[in-house]
Amino acid sequence: MELVSQTAHTVGARRGVTSFPPAITQNPYQRLLYSHLADLGFPLETAERLDVGWLVGARRDVAALHFHWPQAYYRHQGRCAFVATWIKLALFAARLLAARLLRYRVLWTVHQVYPHERGGRGTDRTAAVLLSYAAHALLVHDDCTAERVGAELPWAARKVALVPHGSYAGVYPAGRSRSEVRRELGLTDTAIVFLAFGHVRGYKDLDVLLDGFAAAGSAEIALVVAGLPLDGPSAQLVSERARSDPRIKPLLGFIPDEDVAELFCAADAAVVSRGDGGTSGALILALSLGTPAVVADVPGYLDLIRHGAAGWSFAAGDPQALGHVLDAAVADAYEFAAK
């Protein structure tokens, strides 16, 4: 509320907020965020591009430029990528300067200081430095990310505002029964089912997940990997392991809203295997839906599971440790069922 009030005071009649990159309606995080801002009188205004022409023309309606994942505005894919990326980075810097001169409020929600898939030769670092200087505020969802901002961008630490990630409770419809979903997946009612939900990408440490699952000694367990593949090697790894182990059930594709809650209902626990820390929407989703989680032992995740009250933790990056923790979760599940 304080940031909203500051923006209103600074820009007067202008009250629109524009998301960069543009908000995706399928993303409940952005959908809920901008819906609540609109309720407070700060409507979402769309932008097809970020350039000086748009900045000049949008001044009448738009008060704040809200960055989430800025790499699309400076990275170039394809031929001459190195040179083209630095040219785009220079243009990005010029546009940020223009935004400040035109009295926009610049906000950066730091989901992570640097992109998960790092670029080359200092471009991500340079972009983070530029945006941290241009931003009036850097918003973070957890103390772990705030500490990383302080370590990597110390001059921006005074501009950091901690805004806890919202809950997804009530966002997704309940869906079908646990038994019906399990039958469709080829799972028995007595199996202990772990769910890895979210985009299938390299930074999710899916190799640790799959190796840890293979290392678990419990007999009747299963692993559902559900989410849209965003890189080929990760999807291929999941598919190959599923072909060799029928206990692994891949659902590699976009998961519609009506299928989300029922997948978590069918699972006994979620698994978040990534060990890089930061904000995990998949973990917050699991806990919002009442599903305990197995997580890597990084500070932000340990805080969310309340240091064991809502799940289990394993040594990040260690498949054997994950296997042991999966076995512990299975034992706990059987104990709860017997009570």
Side-chain angles (χ1 to χ4, degrees):
M1 282 298 296
E2 182 180 351
L3 286 172
V4 171
S5 300
Q6 289 175 358
T7 299
H9 175 74
T10 302
V11 300
R14 293 188 288 158
R15 300 181 71 85
V17 178
T18 299
S19 172
F20 295 98
I24 303 171
T25 56
Q26 295 93 334
N27 184 334
Y29 168 85
Q30 292 181 306
R31 188 171 69 238
L32 293 168
L33 168 64
Y34 292 115
S35 173
H36 285 299
L37 282 177
D39 291 342
L40 292 171
F42 292 82
L44 177 66
E45 302 285 349
T46 59
E48 296 299 324
R49 63 192 188 281
L50 173 63
D51 59 29
V52 174
W54 179 86
L55 290 169
V56 171
R59 283 181 300 169
R60 184 167 57 184
D61 300 315
V62 176
L65 312 181
H66 185 193
F67 290 90
H68 289 276
W69 302 279
Q71 56 266 34
Y73 297 98
Y74 63 85
R75 283 187 180 176
H76 179 80
Q77 304 293 331
R79 296 179 60 186
C80 303
F82 175 74
V83 173
T85 292
W86 281 103
I87 292 172
K88 288 185 69 174
L89 193 53
L91 291 172
F92 183 55
R95 290 159 183 164
L96 290 174
L97 175 60
R100 290 296 301 251
L101 293 175
L102 292 168
R103 300 190 65 208
Y104 285 96
R105 299 287 289 183
V106 179
L107 309 173
W108 178 19
T109 291
V110 187
H111 300 281
Q112 56 278 328
V113 176
Y114 305 119
H116 293 301
E117 289 84 12
R118 294 294 299 272
R121 304 199 182 183
T123 52
D124 291 330
R125 167 73 180 168
T126 303
V129 169
L130 290 170
L131 188 50
S132 68
Y133 274 113
H136 292 85
L138 286 74
L139 314 178
V140 300
H141 291 315
D142 53 69
D143 290 323
C144 181
T145 304
E147 291 172 3
R148 290 192 177 187
V149 171
E152 296 289 337
L153 310 168
W155 54 85
R158 61 182 176 81
K159 298 191 285 186
V160 170
L162 177 61
V163 182
H165 196 298
S167 170
Y168 291 118
V171 173
Y172 295 98
R176 297 169 294 171
S177 70
R178 176 183 174 95
S179 295
E180 186 176 354
V181 175
R182 285 191 169 211
R183 280 197 301 272
E184 184 177 278
L185 293 172
L187 301 170
T188 66
D189 286 338
T190 56
I192 302 300
V193 178
F194 296 97
L195 171 64
F197 186 90
H199 287 154
V200 177
R201 297 170 66 178
Y203 79 88
K204 298 288 186 76
D205 290 342
L206 294 174
D207 55 339
V208 174
L209 169 67
L210 295 166
D211 290 345
F213 181 76
S218 302
E220 197 175 2
I221 61 173
L223 172 65
V224 178
V225 181
L228 183 68
L230 293 186
D231 75 64
S234 295
Q236 183 178 358
L237 175 64
V238 173
S239 298
E240 288 175 352
R241 295 295 184 91
R243 283 194 292 269
S244 62
D245 187 345
R247 301 175 302 165
I248 300 174
K249 309 295 182 180
L251 299 176
L252 302 182
F254 176 73
I255 308 299
D257 282 5
E258 58 269 23
D259 294 347
V260 172
E262 67 181 31
L263 276 176
F264 282 92
C265 177
D268 294 284
V271 185
V272 177
S273 53
R274 56 180 278 202
D276 61 342
T279 303
S280 170
L283 175 54
I284 291 169
L285 174 59
L287 298 176
S288 298
L289 295 174
T291 304
V294 175
V295 302
D297 61 350
V298 294
Y301 301 167
L302 293 176
D303 291 341
L304 284 171
I305 66 165
R306 292 178 289 150
H307 295 270
W312 306 262
S313 63
F314 68 96
D318 186 339
Q320 292 298 320
L322 174 55
H324 292 317
V325 170
L326 293 178
D327 287 334
V330 169
D332 286 347
Y334 285 135
E335 180 182 345
F336 293 149
K339 291 183 177 180

